[in-house]
Amino acid sequence: MTQNMPGGSRFDGKVVLVTGGATGMGYAAAEQFLAEGAKVVITGRSEAKLKLAAERLTTAGRVLAVPTDVSKPAEVDRLVSAVRKRFGHLNVIFANAGVGVFKRIEELTEEDVDYTVDVNFKGVFYTIQRSLPVLRDGSSIVINASWTTHRGLAIGSLYAATKAAAANLAKTLASDLSDRRIRVNSVSPGYIDTEMFREGVPTAEAREDSARQSVQKRVGTPEDVARTVAFLASDDAAFVNGVDLLVDGGVVNSVPA
Ligand SMILES: NC(=O)c1ccc[n+]([C@@H]2O[C@H](COP(=O)([O-])OP(=O)(O)OC[C@H]3O[C@@H](n4cnc5c(N)ncnc54)[C@H](OP(=O)(O)O)[C@@H]3O)[C@@H](O)[C@H]2O)c1
């Protein structure tokens, strides 16, 4: 379900890139931006998921789906060429693609480390770096981090560290790109009901446990995050820069009653 914000179409005529846009929070964000007038580019590794998502988004002519592995700079370059050819430029990037490998530190392999760093940190870095030539001055970048960068989670060492690295980019890039009036922020979702969450928390009982960790006693929806991302990307957040915004129903900062 998308929700138009009061005041109308904040993204009319804007072009938005959403990495990992075929599923979960990325898909919800794509829907939200489209509902507010944007043209949207979605990426992911799976062509099948992208095709399905593009069909479901049903906004013919305003969606471009480009299969891309964001951890590979050459593929990101190809994505940027496709954006340039179809829409000419970008106004917003939601660097959302990510993976989660959750194991005790003794069990993590070199492959786990390389894979997670490659997608969660290098993927965000290359998405932003390689898109800069088509990103208009005055644009906005939002990085998808995680509540686990704020509070330790058992078996989350590798995941949380890569997310912390990605979130940290918002602070430095807010300064680095200020000469081009590009704002850079991150969101830190709490437990959000997506494929990734259901893989990591597979039973209904365990998901209820996750819900109880929030003072609102529920897990979040992809739309909870999508609306926050749209806010940060919009002119409503014109003076918000270099921050990480928790979207977690209070998991990090409040003890449930
Ligand atoms: N769900 C939660 O509770 C939670 C909490 C905090 C933060 N997050 C973060 O939120 C983001 C979105 O996750 P989600 O929960 O919405 O789960 P999701 O549905 O699994 O979304 C992850 C997306 O990233 C894409 N992706 C993964 N590796 C990629 C790569 N190398 N190149 C391009 N795309 C790639 C996936 O598509 P392909 O597999 O087709 O590539 C998928 O569409 C992630 O960064 C995740 O770490 C999730």
Side-chain angles (χ1 to χ4, degrees), residues 95-175:
N96 162 74
V99 290
V101 177
F102 295 97
K103 294 179 186 172
R104 285 184 59 91
I105 190 164
E106 305 93 315
E107 290 158 8
L108 287 163
T109 64
E110 190 176 350
E111 286 72 30
D112 292 332
V113 175
D114 287 345
Y115 175 59
T116 310
V117 171
D118 278 357
V119 180
N120 290 2
F121 176 65
K122 290 187 192 171
V124 171
F125 184 90
Y126 290 132
T127 296
I128 296 171
Q129 184 199 46
R130 303 295 169 123
S131 298
L132 287 174
V134 294
L135 193 64
R136 288 245 165 108
D137 289 1
S139 291
S140 173
I141 298 171
V142 182
I143 295 164
N144 202 342
S146 166
W147 70 272
T148 61
T149 66
H150 295 269
R151 185 180 167 197
L153 170 71
I155 68 170
S157 59
L158 173 62
Y159 175 78
T162 60
K163 287 294 184 176
N168 186 266
L169 286 173
K171 298 186 211 297
T172 46
L173 295 183
S175 175

Side-chain angles (χ1 to χ4, degrees), residues 27-82:
Y27 180 84
E31 255 193 326
Q32 181 72 32
F33 284 118
L34 282 165
E36 294 198 56
K39 296 166 190 155
V40 174
V41 184
I42 55 172
T43 71
R45 293 164 302 182
S46 158
E47 285 194 38
K49 283 190 206 166
L50 271 181
K51 190 166 174 282
L52 196 66
E55 279 164 14
R56 279 177 62 205
L57 288 167
T58 66
T59 319
R62 287 204 286 134
V63 178
L64 173 65
V66 187
T68 310
D69 180 340
V70 291
S71 69
K72 302 199 167 114
E75 291 199 22
V76 180
D77 286 342
R78 275 199 295 279
L79 162 71
V80 171
S81 296

